[in-house]
Amino acid sequence: MATIYYFDAPVDAGFVQFFEKTVKPAVIGSGAPVLAYFVTEHSENTFPALPVREGENVFVWFARFNDLAAYECHIAALIQSPPCRDEISKELARRLKREPEILKLSPPTRSLL
């Protein structure tokens, strides 16, 4: 699963800290290991063969689930979690440009995941 948070401006250290100290523990507590997270790189694209979307300010994090049922259990646990319902959702709504985008991904056959 990839979750994309969109921002009006570049992602600041304060949001990364909020994710590390608040969001990530809640996600892990609901049964989803956070594999990695990334922020937009605003450097010039020096490899034109690689298409790059410009003008985006995003924070993307990835989690892994064994199957769709595990994902659904994770979502149910998050919805029932008071910190997620109260503190996390309000803080995300305050900071984000729009609703998060959630992509359900499947690994290709040769993936180590």
Side-chain angles (χ1 to χ4, degrees):
M1 176 191 81
T3 302
I4 307 170
Y5 297 143
Y6 291 87
F7 295 83
D8 286 323
V11 177
D12 62 18
F15 182 80
V16 174
Q17 183 177 15
F18 167 70
F19 182 84
E20 274 287 329
K21 299 210 182 285
T22 308
V23 177
K24 185 177 176 181
V27 168
I28 292 170
S30 67
V34 175
L35 301 177
Y37 61 84
F38 303 93
V39 298
T40 301
E41 170 61 54
H42 290 285
S43 300
E44 178 185 350
N45 180 13
T46 58
F47 187 66
L50 176 66
V52 175
R53 291 185 348 194
E54 295 181 355
E56 299 277 348
N57 297 298
V58 299
F59 180 100
V60 181
W61 62 272
F62 295 88
R64 181 182 181 279
F65 301 93
N66 289 332
D67 53 31
L68 186 57
Y71 170 75
E72 290 171 353
C73 286
H74 157 73
I75 294 300
L78 280 181
I79 290 169
Q80 295 175 0
S81 164
C84 185
R85 273 196 329 262
D86 303 331
E87 177 188 356
I88 294 173
S89 62
K90 288 178 184 174
E91 187 64 18
L92 288 174
R94 183 182 76 77
R95 290 178 180 252
L96 300 182
K97 178 179 178 177
R98 66 181 210 195
E99 288 290 317
E101 184 176 358
I102 299 172
L103 305 173
K104 296 174 189 166
L105 309 170
S106 297
T109 306
R110 297 185 321 187
S111 173
L112 296 177
L113 293 176

